[in-house]
Amino acid sequence: MIKDLEAKLGSRIITPDHEAYDEKRKVWNGAIDRKPYAIVVCDTEEDVAAAVKLATEKNLNIAIRGGGHHVAGTAVCDDGLMIDLSEMRKVEVDPEKKIAFVEGGATLADIDKATQNFELATPTGTVSETGVAGLALSGGMGYLRGKYGLTCDNIVGAHVVTSKGELLEVSETQHSDLFWAIRGGGGNFGIVTKFMFQLHKVGPAVLALDVMYDYKDAKAILLQAQEYLKQAPDEVSFNITAAELPPVPFLPEALHHKKVVMLTGMYAGEPEQGEKVIEQLRQMAEPLADHTGIIPYVELQSKLDAMVPDSVPVYGTSLYFKELDEKTIDAVLGKIDSAPAPTALVQLWALGGQMNKIPVDATPFAVRDASFILLVDMMAMGVDEKICEKWVESLYQGLLPYSHNKASYLNGIGLSENVTKTAYAVNYDRLVAVKKNYDPGNVFRFNHNIDPTK
Ligand SMILES: Cc1cc2nc3c(=O)[nH]c(=O)nc-3n(C[C@H](O)[C@H](O)[C@H](O)COP(=O)(O)OP(=O)(O)OC[C@H]3O[C@@H](n4cnc5c(N)ncnc54)[C@H](O)[C@@H]3O)c2cc1C
């Protein structure tokens, strides 16, 4: 069978005896150790189509690798064919039409670098090494969400390789059902080899919020953040992160092992006008440090990279909240206080503005009325992985009663049928109908799966 693969796909087949096999099967989450039958490192859309055809002919499972950052490690599977797009990273910009043409293996850094040449950007995420494909196909939240919506809201077209190995161009007017489905429905419908994203005028310098408070003030800060959000203009998007600072040389010794609450964010308008607007976020308690200032957009977009190192075993979960009231805040802080190690990263991101103005059925992304999203990453460093996994599960179960419709963000949680259905809510049945049309055999199933038979 390998001979068939090589004949059709040339030399870019990596099998277990290849020296690059262990490096290529690695994903961001170090807890994942899966061994595919082979890895196809794709250079072109034709490679992707040939790989899909061959996998279906030979009855091999398929895993799709974009940037390899999903916490569930779904970019790699045991025994099947890993279709790796990570070397397809070209980004082209049409500054007149304000569209970016982005290959399916690009990272957020690739996009920002190319689009900022024209002082343009599309909303993505907050860590530059993340792959855009997985992020965009299931949502995509970053510092432009308030002003310009989610990444999936900004997809204006795509090239998709279907389960039959056909390459389709999709847009509002071409295969419009498939176009609707890929704007939030994940990797269920085909492999996206190219995205077209809407661009907006951003930067090159932006006002970046970056203030650090003592964790003892967490409750007061969260209560104030909820109030602030109710009147915040769309230009402001901000995230609240609770963490214990590591004893690293670039931090002053007084901050080593200190539990803190960090507010990071951006004002997506004229930086000088934003200073007054975000002032309140900088005065919610006595700050330990405040590095808020006007910086290049690309610098803001990579500022958090060091906080989320590669290859560490991670257990993650997510839930939405309608309102951060006292009971919810107490429950969240209680869970943070029970973390088994200082390597828990617990984030609450404020949601609003444009991302919540889009009608629920305009895209598959159904949670358009929450005010905060909880994102938890427990890094198993110096602590048993099983203990971390158990804590994350107990946090999820414990906070479920306080959550908004029991819904989670699919880009931040492991695979579960229930979680998938709850996230898609009223859009689930329509997704099943599109899945039946384009992938009736469920070829693309190693994901938050939409089962065509249900
Ligand atoms: C360090 C870190 C920071 C993050 N920050 C943010 C953030 O700020 N905002 C946010 O919204 N999310 C964030 N995330 C979550 C992120 O959105 C998901 O991890 C997302 O899956 C990353 O996409 P990827 O292409 O790197 O993932 P991969 O693991 O490569 O892919 C995940 C899944 O997406 C599908 N897929 C990938 N590529 C394709 C393709 N070309 N065609 C079809 N399907 C495909 C497949 O089903 C695959 O299993 C972060 C994650 C990490 C680890």
XYZ file of all heavy atoms in Angstrom, residues 122-196:
541
model
N -7.382 40.398 9.625
C -8.651 39.700 9.804
C -8.648 39.186 11.242
O -7.577 38.899 11.795
C -8.801 38.545 8.777
O -10.177 38.166 8.709
C -7.960 37.323 9.110
N -9.811 39.081 11.880
C -9.817 38.601 13.266
C -9.303 37.166 13.349
O -9.759 36.310 12.583
C -11.297 38.639 13.656
C -11.960 39.523 12.671
C -11.164 39.413 11.403
N -8.358 36.903 14.242
C -7.896 35.513 14.445
C -7.853 35.238 15.946
O -8.830 35.499 16.635
C -6.521 35.274 13.775
O -5.575 36.215 14.297
C -6.598 35.384 12.269
N -6.726 34.693 16.449
C -6.623 34.387 17.871
C -5.510 35.179 18.513
O -4.997 36.140 17.921
N -5.087 34.739 19.692
C -4.167 35.549 20.495
C -2.762 34.949 20.622
O -1.918 35.528 21.299
C -4.739 35.725 21.911
O -4.968 34.426 22.461
C -6.030 36.512 21.902
N -2.539 33.772 20.027
C -1.205 33.160 20.087
C -0.763 32.902 18.644
O -1.434 32.192 17.894
C -1.221 31.851 20.909
C 0.105 31.127 20.824
C -1.555 32.164 22.369
N 0.370 33.472 18.260
C 0.704 33.568 16.838
C 1.031 32.229 16.190
O 0.940 32.096 14.976
C 1.871 34.538 16.662
O 3.081 33.936 17.048
N 1.403 31.222 16.996
C 1.813 29.935 16.401
C 0.618 29.021 16.100
O 0.782 27.962 15.498
C 2.763 29.206 17.358
C 4.061 29.966 17.579
C 4.618 29.809 18.989
O 4.026 29.052 19.782
O 5.625 30.458 19.280
N -0.561 29.414 16.526
C -1.754 28.586 16.297
C -2.060 28.502 14.799
O -1.865 29.466 14.068
C -2.969 29.238 17.013
O -2.560 29.653 18.301
C -4.139 28.301 17.118
N -2.570 27.351 14.369
C -2.977 27.202 12.969
C -4.307 27.896 12.736
O -5.195 27.849 13.586
N -4.454 28.515 11.558
C -5.710 29.229 11.315
C -6.834 28.268 10.933
O -8.007 28.544 11.206
C -5.539 30.322 10.239
C -5.432 29.736 8.833
C -6.690 31.308 10.308
N -6.494 27.128 10.325
C -7.565 26.276 9.774
C -8.502 25.768 10.870
O -9.711 26.014 10.831
C -6.963 25.125 8.989
N -7.926 25.062 11.854
C -8.773 24.546 12.937
C -9.488 25.682 13.647
O -10.683 25.603 13.936
N -8.751 26.751 13.909
C -9.313 27.906 14.632
C -10.503 28.504 13.874
O -11.582 28.693 14.431
C -8.201 28.937 14.844
C -8.578 30.269 15.500
C -7.633 30.588 16.672
C -8.513 31.408 14.507
N -10.314 28.768 12.586
C -11.361 29.438 11.806
C -12.572 28.525 11.593
O -13.709 28.988 11.621
C -10.806 29.850 10.442
N -12.323 27.233 11.400
C -13.428 26.331 11.063
C -14.357 26.083 12.251
O -15.486 25.625 12.074
C -12.871 24.998 10.530
C -12.182 25.109 9.161
C -11.433 23.816 8.819
C -13.188 25.438 8.062
N -13.873 26.360 13.486
C -14.753 26.169 14.648
C -14.974 27.465 15.412
O -15.359 27.438 16.583
C -14.176 25.088 15.572
O -14.234 23.830 14.945
N -14.695 28.604 14.820
C -14.947 29.887 15.502
C -13.810 30.857 15.263
O -13.689 31.457 14.205
N -12.934 30.981 16.265
C -11.799 31.899 16.146
C -12.043 33.193 16.901
O -12.696 34.105 16.404
N -11.521 33.245 18.136
C -11.728 34.441 18.972
C -10.414 35.116 19.264
O -9.473 34.479 19.751
C -12.316 34.030 20.332
C -13.720 33.559 20.254
S -14.307 33.164 21.902
C -15.527 31.950 21.485
N -10.360 36.407 18.998
C -9.162 37.175 19.313
C -9.538 38.587 19.694
O -10.700 38.868 20.040
N -8.581 39.484 19.608
C -8.798 40.854 20.069
C -9.611 41.713 19.101
O -9.837 42.881 19.377
C -7.451 41.526 20.326
C -6.639 40.877 21.427
C -5.301 40.567 21.238
C -7.225 40.592 22.665
C -4.549 39.985 22.252
C -6.480 40.002 23.677
C -5.140 39.706 23.466
O -4.410 39.128 24.464
N -10.014 41.146 17.964
C -10.860 41.913 17.043
C -12.301 41.405 17.063
O -13.120 41.813 16.247
C -10.294 41.834 15.613
C -8.942 42.521 15.397
C -8.399 42.234 13.990
C -9.067 44.024 15.605
N -12.616 40.498 17.993
C -13.955 39.868 17.976
C -15.081 40.890 18.217
O -16.171 40.750 17.687
C -14.035 38.739 19.005
C -13.813 39.174 20.460
C -13.745 37.972 21.406
N -13.520 38.349 22.801
C -12.334 38.438 23.376
N -11.235 38.178 22.691
N -12.221 38.764 24.663
N -14.809 41.874 19.073
C -15.843 42.864 19.376
C -16.135 43.755 18.181
O -17.282 44.079 17.895
N -15.103 44.128 17.464
C -15.273 45.073 16.360
C -15.671 44.354 15.053
O -16.520 44.833 14.311
C -13.958 45.833 16.164
C -13.971 46.878 15.079
C -14.758 48.114 15.467
C -14.705 49.161 14.368
N -15.745 50.162 14.511
N -15.027 43.180 14.799
C -15.228 42.546 13.488
C -15.719 41.099 13.553
O -15.798 40.430 12.528
C -13.928 42.628 12.673
C -13.478 44.048 12.400
C -12.249 44.513 12.867
C -14.300 44.921 11.690
C -11.836 45.825 12.631
C -13.896 46.232 11.451
C -12.666 46.674 11.917
O -12.273 47.976 11.686
N -16.014 40.585 14.717
C -16.574 39.238 14.822
C -15.520 38.140 14.931
O -14.333 38.387 15.162
N -15.990 36.908 14.765
C -15.117 35.736 14.862
C -14.390 35.528 13.536
O -14.790 36.079 12.505
C -15.956 34.492 15.159
C -16.791 34.526 16.441
C -17.740 33.338 16.490
C -15.878 34.523 17.662
N -13.377 34.671 13.567
C -12.675 34.353 12.318
C -13.655 33.727 11.323
O -13.669 34.088 10.138
C -11.500 33.396 12.583
O -10.778 33.875 13.715
C -10.578 33.305 11.385
N -14.501 32.805 11.801
C -15.441 32.133 10.880
C -16.410 33.131 10.238
O -16.847 32.924 9.107
C -16.185 30.999 11.577
S -17.276 31.506 12.912
N -16.698 34.215 10.930
C -17.600 35.232 10.372
C -16.934 35.982 9.228
O -17.609 36.684 8.470
C -17.997 36.257 11.447
C -18.660 35.617 12.652
O -19.300 34.565 12.478
O -18.527 36.158 13.762
N -15.631 35.890 9.145
C -14.878 36.643 8.134
C -14.396 35.773 6.978
O -13.617 36.223 6.144
C -13.702 37.361 8.802
C -14.191 38.578 9.586
O -14.327 39.646 9.022
N -14.516 38.385 10.861
N -14.845 34.502 6.951
C -14.534 33.658 5.784
C -15.485 34.084 4.662
O -16.705 34.035 4.831
C -14.738 32.156 6.090
C -13.842 31.702 7.248
C -14.465 31.308 4.847
C -14.080 30.249 7.685
N -14.927 34.509 3.524
C -15.803 34.920 2.411
C -15.737 33.935 1.240
O -16.467 34.067 0.266
C -15.488 36.357 1.928
C -15.853 37.371 3.000
C -14.034 36.509 1.523
N -14.867 32.942 1.357
C -14.777 31.914 0.325
C -13.721 30.900 0.741
O -12.940 31.150 1.669
N -13.724 29.743 0.071
C -12.711 28.729 0.403
C -12.599 27.721 -0.737
O -13.509 27.611 -1.574
C -13.100 28.012 1.693
N -11.466 27.016 -0.760
C -11.318 25.842 -1.610
C -11.398 24.630 -0.680
O -10.670 24.576 0.317
C -9.958 25.838 -2.314
C -9.824 26.904 -3.350
N -8.722 27.023 -4.165
C -10.677 27.894 -3.734
C -8.888 28.049 -4.985
N -10.051 28.594 -4.742
N -12.258 23.687 -1.025
C -12.478 22.540 -0.143
C -12.306 21.240 -0.930
O -12.923 21.069 -1.991
C -13.908 22.573 0.455
C -14.126 21.404 1.416
C -14.176 23.893 1.174
N -11.492 20.329 -0.408
C -11.382 18.982 -0.980
C -12.401 18.107 -0.254
O -12.345 17.960 0.976
C -9.953 18.416 -0.828
C -9.914 16.947 -1.245
C -8.962 19.230 -1.647
N -13.344 17.564 -1.006
C -14.433 16.799 -0.383
C -14.015 15.350 -0.106
O -12.924 14.919 -0.484
C -15.658 16.758 -1.311
O -15.284 15.993 -2.465
C -16.099 18.145 -1.712
N -14.934 14.599 0.477
C -14.667 13.194 0.807
C -14.452 12.356 -0.462
O -13.884 11.271 -0.400
C -15.820 12.622 1.622
O -17.029 12.752 0.918
N -14.897 12.865 -1.612
C -14.657 12.136 -2.878
C -13.342 12.556 -3.512
O -13.002 12.110 -4.614
C -15.790 12.435 -3.860
C -17.112 11.809 -3.494
C -18.071 12.060 -4.658
C -19.485 11.742 -4.266
N -20.444 12.605 -4.963
N -12.643 13.475 -2.882
C -11.379 13.954 -3.442
C -11.578 15.013 -4.508
O -10.674 15.291 -5.290
N -12.775 15.612 -4.544
C -13.015 16.702 -5.514
C -12.642 18.037 -4.889
O -12.895 18.243 -3.690
C -14.507 16.771 -5.867
C -14.976 15.635 -6.730
C -16.503 15.628 -6.864
O -17.195 16.176 -5.984
O -16.972 15.025 -7.831
N -12.107 18.937 -5.723
C -11.766 20.271 -5.222
C -12.893 21.230 -5.595
O -13.164 21.445 -6.777
C -10.441 20.734 -5.842
C -9.953 22.115 -5.416
C -9.647 22.178 -3.928
C -8.708 22.508 -6.213
N -13.557 21.807 -4.585
C -14.674 22.718 -4.839
C -14.329 24.131 -4.404
O -13.643 24.320 -3.387
C -15.913 22.273 -4.043
C -16.488 20.893 -4.316
C -17.739 20.678 -3.463
C -16.833 20.721 -5.800
N -14.797 25.096 -5.165
C -14.708 26.495 -4.735
C -16.034 26.828 -4.070
O -17.088 26.600 -4.675
C -14.470 27.412 -5.928
C -13.070 27.261 -6.476
C -12.751 28.294 -7.557
O -13.358 29.371 -7.569
O -11.882 27.980 -8.377
N -15.997 27.317 -2.851
C -17.255 27.609 -2.146
C -17.313 29.083 -1.750
O -16.292 29.693 -1.440
C -17.465 26.703 -0.903
C -17.303 25.237 -1.247
C -16.526 27.071 0.232
N -18.512 29.607 -1.794
C -18.741 31.007 -1.408
C -20.241 31.178 -1.216
O -20.996 30.205 -1.324
C -18.237 31.946 -2.507
O -19.052 31.787 -3.657
N -20.661 32.388 -0.977
C -22.087 32.676 -0.815
C -22.888 32.196 -2.030
O -24.047 31.815 -1.911
C -22.246 34.192 -0.640
C -23.492 34.660 0.067
C -23.524 34.335 1.548
O -22.784 34.966 2.329
O -24.299 33.427 1.910
N -22.239 32.200 -3.228
C -22.965 31.841 -4.452
C -22.564 30.476 -5.042
O -23.156 30.031 -6.012
C -22.730 32.920 -5.538
O -21.321 33.084 -5.684
C -23.372 34.242 -5.154
N -21.523 29.850 -4.512
C -21.109 28.533 -5.028
C -21.159 27.521 -3.875
O -20.479 27.723 -2.865
C -19.652 28.581 -5.525
C -19.413 29.523 -6.692
C -17.941 29.841 -6.807
O -17.368 30.563 -5.975
N -17.279 29.311 -7.815
N -21.917 26.461 -4.034
C -22.078 25.466 -2.964
C -22.369 26.182 -1.639
O -21.665 26.006 -0.646
C -20.825 24.583 -2.830
C -20.434 23.915 -4.109
N -21.109 22.833 -4.615
C -19.472 24.203 -4.999
C -20.575 22.468 -5.768
N -19.572 23.289 -6.027
N -23.403 26.987 -1.652
C -23.649 27.876 -0.502
C -23.954 27.094 0.783
O -23.696 27.584 1.879
C -24.770 28.864 -0.820
O -25.931 28.156 -1.179
N -24.482 25.851 0.640
C -24.734 25.057 1.855
C -23.414 24.654 2.517
O -23.256 24.720 3.738
C -25.600 23.815 1.548
C -25.052 22.966 0.400
O -24.153 23.436 -0.349
O -25.508 21.809 0.246
N -22.439 24.299 1.679
C -21.116 23.928 2.206
C -20.403 25.166 2.764
O -19.752 25.106 3.813
C -20.291 23.273 1.084
C -18.901 22.780 1.417
C -18.907 21.803 2.591
C -18.259 22.087 0.196
N -20.570 26.282 2.081
C -19.984 27.540 2.552
C -20.517 27.877 3.947
O -19.774 28.230 4.851
C -20.297 28.666 1.561
C -19.807 30.012 2.001
C -18.452 30.260 2.184
C -20.706 31.054 2.241
C -17.997 31.506 2.603
C -20.254 32.299 2.655
C -18.897 32.527 2.841
N -21.827 27.719 4.125
C -22.422 27.980 5.441
C -21.787 27.037 6.483
O -21.371 27.475 7.561
C -23.946 27.767 5.379
C -24.604 27.911 6.718
C -24.973 29.078 7.329
C -24.953 26.854 7.631
N -25.512 28.812 8.566
C -25.524 27.463 8.781
C -24.837 25.463 7.614
C -25.968 26.726 9.882
C -25.289 24.730 8.695
C -25.845 25.360 9.820
N -21.668 25.759 6.126
C -21.238 24.747 7.100
C -19.794 24.916 7.566
O -19.473 24.641 8.723
C -21.431 23.351 6.511
N -18.922 25.381 6.664
C -17.512 25.478 7.089
C -17.264 26.688 7.983
O -16.226 26.775 8.620
C -16.514 25.509 5.895
C -16.760 26.725 4.999
C -16.549 24.198 5.115
C -15.591 27.041 4.084
N -18.229 27.605 8.069
C -18.018 28.784 8.918
C -18.434 28.480 10.364
O -19.293 29.120 10.940
C -18.753 29.991 8.351
C -18.012 30.550 7.137
C -18.727 31.711 6.516
N -20.030 31.292 6.034
C -21.082 32.118 5.959
N -20.986 33.364 6.315
N -22.230 31.657 5.500
N -17.834 27.416 10.929
C -18.106 27.036 12.312
C -18.275 25.535 12.495
O -18.155 25.034 13.615
N -18.553 24.818 11.403
C -18.833 23.380 11.509
C -17.598 22.491 11.583
O -17.693 21.262 11.499
N -16.420 23.086 11.723
C -15.184 22.312 11.909
C -14.745 21.599 10.643
O -15.159 21.936 9.526
N -13.895 20.570 10.842
C -13.324 19.836 9.709
C -14.213 18.709 9.228
O -13.737 17.742 8.632
N -15.516 18.832 9.460
C -16.454 17.755 9.145
C -16.777 17.586 7.673
O -17.261 16.538 7.260
C -17.789 18.028 9.862
C -17.801 17.435 11.249
O -17.922 16.228 11.401
N -17.653 18.283 12.257
N -16.542 18.627 6.863
C -17.130 18.643 5.517
C -16.115 18.507 4.398
O -16.476 18.383 3.241
C -17.945 19.928 5.347
C -18.966 20.063 6.427
C -18.691 20.792 7.573
C -20.166 19.384 6.338
C -19.616 20.868 8.596
C -21.096 19.443 7.364
C -20.810 20.187 8.495
N -14.847 18.557 4.765
C -13.813 18.470 3.749
C -12.549 19.136 4.258
O -12.528 19.685 5.365
N -11.521 19.076 3.443
C -10.241 19.695 3.834
C -10.135 21.048 3.137
O -10.191 21.125 1.900
C -9.050 18.790 3.454
C -9.226 17.408 4.110
C -7.739 19.453 3.871
C -8.059 16.464 3.937
N -10.010 22.082 3.917
C -9.900 23.422 3.341
C -8.441 23.656 2.958
O -7.546 23.655 3.817
C -10.400 24.503 4.317
C -10.214 25.896 3.709
C -11.872 24.274 4.657
N -8.212 23.813 1.674
C -6.837 24.036 1.207
C -6.536 25.529 1.103
O -5.388 25.935 1.133
C -6.634 23.370 -0.170
O -7.713 23.758 -1.022
C -6.603 21.862 -0.032
N -7.601 26.320 0.945
C -7.402 27.772 0.883
C -8.619 28.499 1.453
O -9.762 28.107 1.172
C -7.190 28.202 -0.574
C -6.699 29.627 -0.712
C -6.535 30.029 -2.154
C -5.167 29.654 -2.707
N -4.965 30.141 -4.080
N -8.339 29.518 2.269
C -9.405 30.379 2.786
C -9.302 31.749 2.121
O -8.204 32.216 1.829
C -9.212 30.644 4.292
C -9.403 29.462 5.185
C -8.324 28.659 5.538
C -10.648 29.174 5.731
C -8.487 27.583 6.398
C -10.814 28.101 6.594
C -9.737 27.300 6.928
N -10.443 32.401 1.956
C -10.459 33.826 1.619
C -11.068 34.527 2.831
O -12.204 34.234 3.212
C -11.318 34.118 0.386
C -10.695 33.643 -0.905
S -10.843 31.869 -1.043
C -10.557 31.604 -2.747
